[in-house]
Amino acid sequence: MANNANRSCFRMSDKVVVVAGAATGIGRASALRLALEGAAIIAASPAGESAHIDSLVEDVKAAGGKAIGMAFDATDEASVKALVDAAVDKFGGLDAVHANFADLRVIFDDSDILSVSDDVLERTLNVNLKGMVRITRHALPHMIARGGGAMVYTSSTASKIGEPVRPCYAMAKAGINALVRHVASAWGQKGVRANAILPGLVITPEKRSTMPSDLQEQVLAAGRSTRLGEVEDIAAMVALLVSKDGEWVNGQCIAVDGGSTLN
Ligand SMILES: NC(=O)c1ccc[n+]([C@@H]2O[C@H](COP(=O)([O-])OP(=O)(O)OC[C@H]3O[C@@H](n4cnc5c(N)ncnc54)[C@H](O)[C@@H]3O)[C@@H](O)[C@H]2O)c1
């Protein structure tokens, strides 16, 4: 919170933002940052993570912000629709979605394209890519009705670097990059902007305790930055893209990775 407070200004007091995949990590930081800048937040994750969402909503309210929590599952069309509809029902409209969710458990079985099972491929695409399609389809009509809005997707540098492992994850993230370019092209003139953030390795609070410190040091030594990535680095880019400051940024896939990849 303190980190965010130092960086933030009050750019979006009139905005309503859905943060989909907000329970922990990057999504939590994004919801806090947007709320600190004045947005009303609908923070959502699957029902099993409702305790995390409740604690996030409490933190937002304690800081003087506006938030409600919801349960949703990106694979369930009705729950995705209910999530974006809640923005209209509870706060009168929808200005932006940070589509941040991904199934990061299945990634451990995402071996290589010869050995990976169809089940892992299906699960990965169903949450990480088709979920993005579902939320886009339900959010866009609300944004168009309001005269515009911003879709911000969390992709990954894995979508473009090429790795010997995690092919399903990388393919799903590359699909998000294509979705961004489509949405920007089809609805830019209706005021809808779509952009993807491609984080490099971000040491979430959860990862800080579980990722071996020698591995963290190796990543730092191989990069182009004085430090590893933090969730607030991604949240700051989300806030820029949602705010008026991002009004002329559309159809972009922006790496936020301390320079670990170069364009
Ligand atoms: N942390 C990194 O190094 C890193 C790097 C590149 C990209 N990313 C991307 O950033 C995003 C957030 O990752 P994170 O590292 O903060 O991890 P995280 O586990 O904290 O975030 C994943 C989020 O996805 C949600 N989620 C999982 N399955 C879902 C489902 N079926 N329906 C709805 N929501 C679901 C979870 O509730 C959680 O909020 C992901 O899209 C991830 O691919 C992370």
Side-chain angles (χ1 to χ4, degrees), residues 90-108:
K90 309 281 183 194
F91 294 116
L94 175 66
D95 296 294
V97 172
H98 179 198
N100 175 67
F101 51 83
D103 186 332
L104 298 176
R105 280 166 300 183
V106 72
I107 209 167
F108 295 107

Side-chain angles (χ1 to χ4, degrees), residues 24-41:
T24 48
I26 289 168
R28 186 179 210 280
S30 161
L32 285 169
R33 173 70 190 250
L34 294 164
L36 271 175
E37 294 209 30
I41 304 296

Side-chain angles (χ1 to χ4, degrees), residues 21-27 45-46 49 72-75 100-105 127 154-156 169 173 199-202 204 206-207:
T24 48
I26 289 168
S45 270
E49 294 172 65
F72 94 112
D73 182 338
T75 65
N100 175 67
F101 51 83
D103 186 332
L104 298 176
R105 280 166 300 183
V127 178
T154 309
S155 176
S156 169
Y169 180 77
K173 293 297 192 182
L201 177 67
V202 172
T204 61
E206 296 73 27
K207 257 192 199 144

Side-chain angles (χ1 to χ4, degrees), residues 88-160:
V88 181
D89 297 343
K90 309 281 183 194
F91 294 116
L94 175 66
D95 296 294
V97 172
H98 179 198
N100 175 67
F101 51 83
D103 186 332
L104 298 176
R105 280 166 300 183
V106 72
I107 209 167
F108 295 107
D109 298 317
D110 190 1
S111 46
D112 65 57
I113 210 65
L114 289 183
S115 60
V116 74
S117 69
D118 277 358
D119 178 53
V120 168
L121 174 62
E122 291 295 337
R123 271 178 65 192
T124 307
L125 294 180
N126 197 16
V127 178
N128 300 13
L129 182 57
K130 289 173 81 176
M132 296 292 174
V133 172
R134 291 181 191 102
I135 200 161
T136 303
R137 280 186 176 153
H138 290 294
L140 286 188
H142 291 311
M143 291 181 183
I144 292 164
R146 206 161 162 83
M151 294 295 305
V152 179
Y153 303 86
T154 309
S155 176
S156 169
T157 52
S159 65
K160 60 173 200 171

